[in-house]
């Protein structure tokens, strides 16, 4: 048997990621970005990063405080995605949202309190998906700063999905929309 010790993945520079997003938009591309508002469970973050990598997400932004960061549990749960997904820490999600909007990115959050479903959104444009924390959802100001709030309709008696599952549902709907446009 062989044992290897590795460091957890490094964070990507947030300003560099924003500049790369702008360059893609200027080149006519439509980047898909994920913003996580206070995810606390490292297994959820790892699963979200794995899904983001599989869905072709340009990058993931997480807050510096009140959220889990990159650690060995995240790396293990991501099944290697931490090696490929650009994860940037930011001090203020609301400033990030304003910055993305000024660069031509539509910012869509998730909420129970909306009639618009995730499949109603036009994912064929530069979009940042904002997912809220487990149990609490989006912070009030973050939700208010989003261009649109979307929901996943629920049929059962439980009113919400796990945040990593919900992120997967929405990201692959975005990928489906984008693939339909290419054909």
């Amino acid at each position: 048997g062989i044992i290897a010790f590795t460091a957890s993945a490094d964070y990507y520079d947030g300003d560099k990621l924003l500049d790369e997003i702008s360059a893609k938009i200027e080149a006519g591309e439509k980047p898909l970005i994920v913003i996580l508002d206070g995810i606390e469970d490292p297994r959820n973050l790892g699963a979200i990063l794995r899904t983001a990598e599989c869905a072709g997400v340009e990058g993931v932004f997480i807050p510096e405080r009140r959220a889990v960061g990159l650690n060995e549990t995240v790396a293990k749960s991501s099944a290697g995605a931490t090696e490929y997904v650009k994860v940037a820490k930011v001090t203020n999600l609301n400033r990030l949202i304003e910055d993305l909007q000024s660069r031509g990115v539509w910012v869509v959050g998730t909420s129970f309190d909306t009639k618009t479903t995730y499949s109603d959104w036009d994912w064929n444009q530069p979009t940042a998906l904002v997912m809220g924390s487990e149990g609490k959802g989006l912070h009030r100001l973050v939700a208010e700063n989003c261009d649109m709030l979307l929901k996943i309709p629920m049929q059962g008696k439980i009113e919400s999905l796990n945040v990593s599952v919900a992120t997967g549902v929405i990201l692959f709907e975005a990928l489906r929309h984008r693939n339909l446009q290419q054909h």
Side-chain angles (χ1 to χ4, degrees):
I2 297 174
I3 283 186
F5 293 99
T6 61
S8 60
D10 290 330
Y11 292 100
Y12 203 78
D13 180 81
D15 291 330
K16 183 176 180 185
L17 182 53
L18 287 167
D19 290 342
E20 290 172 3
I21 290 165
S22 290
K24 286 190 178 253
I25 293 169
E26 289 170 13
E29 295 180 41
K30 301 163 189 147
L32 181 60
I33 302 121
V34 173
I35 301 171
L36 300 176
D37 184 9
I39 303 300
E40 296 172 351
D41 185 326
R43 290 172 299 280
N44 280 338
L45 178 56
I48 290 168
L49 295 178
R50 182 178 186 174
T51 302
E53 199 284 322
C54 292
V57 166
E58 186 64 33
V60 176
F61 291 94
I62 63 174
E64 280 185 359
R65 293 177 282 125
R66 297 183 306 274
V68 68
L70 297 178
N71 60 36
E72 68 244 8
T73 303
V74 172
K76 184 176 179 181
S77 299
S78 79
T82 55
E83 298 297 318
Y84 304 105
V85 177
K86 298 170 185 171
V87 179
K89 274 188 169 185
V90 295
T91 55
N92 187 310
L93 290 182
N94 292 304
R95 275 191 237 132
L96 169 67
I97 290 169
E98 291 171 5
D99 194 353
L100 285 167
Q101 289 166 329
S102 74
R103 294 169 189 256
V105 176
W106 289 90
V107 180
V108 296
T110 52
S111 173
F112 299 116
D113 301 325
T114 184
K115 293 187 187 313
T116 309
T117 67
Y118 70 104
S119 58
D120 293 333
W121 180 252
D122 177 8
W123 294 100
N124 292 304
Q125 54 194 333
T127 305
L129 171 64
V130 188
M131 299 299 294
S133 68
E134 304 94 338
K136 297 174 190 150
L138 297 177
H139 285 95
R140 183 185 55 80
L141 280 176
V142 170
E144 288 175 6
N145 286 322
C146 290
D147 294 305
M148 174 70 69
L149 294 175
L150 309 173
K151 72 176 179 180
I152 299 173
M154 297 288 132
Q155 298 295 316
K157 292 176 179 46
I158 298 172
E159 60 184 33
S160 68
L161 296 170
N162 171 286
V163 66
S164 65
V165 172
T167 304
V169 167
I170 296 172
L171 287 179
F172 276 88
E173 177 68 8
L175 187 59
R176 187 184 75 78
H177 273 242
R178 290 166 178 231
N179 286 338
L180 284 174
Q181 187 184 35
Q182 291 176 359
H183 295 104

